Amino acid sequence: MKYFSLDEFDSPDHKGSGINMDHNFLELLNNAREIAGIPFKITSGYRTAEHNSKVGGVKNSSHLSGVAADIGVGSGNERYIILNALIRAGFKRLGIAKTFIHCDTDITKSNSVWTY
C-alpha cells in the first residue's frame, strides 16, 4: 500500500494482527487517502475480541473481521476533507464522532451514516 503499513492496523494487544485486515478494505482506504491528499491517522483497525470488549465495541463490530478503521480528526476542515474522500472512494458506512471517523465495508450491515 502506498499510504499505510499493516502495523498501523494492529490491535494494541496483539502485535502483528494488522495482517488480519481485509485487502479490499485497505485498497479502498488507500484510494480515499489519495483523494484526500492529507495523512490519515489510524486510531483503530483490527481488534481482537478482548480489545473490542475493553474499548466498549459492539459484539458484531466490523473491526473484528478487519473491514473497519477509525481515522483521527482534529478540525472541522480535516473532518470534511476525510469524509469527502471516503465517500468519493466508495465507502457507504461511516460513523462520525468528535475526534474520529469510522469507515467500514461490512457487507453484512446496511449502508448508513451515524454519529457517536
Side-chain angles (χ1 to χ4, degrees), residues 13-29:
D13 61 339
H14 191 268
K15 186 170 175 54
S17 59
I19 191 103
N20 294 309
M21 292 298 293
D22 179 81
H23 178 75
N24 293 326
F25 170 84
L26 292 174
E27 285 298 318
L28 202 62
L29 190 63

Side-chain angles (χ1 to χ4, degrees), residues 48-67:
T48 62
E50 296 78 16
H51 182 68
N52 189 60
S53 179
K54 180 180 177 182
V55 298
V58 296
K59 283 189 177 198
N60 67 338
S61 172
S62 303
H63 290 274
L64 295 167
S65 54
V67 293

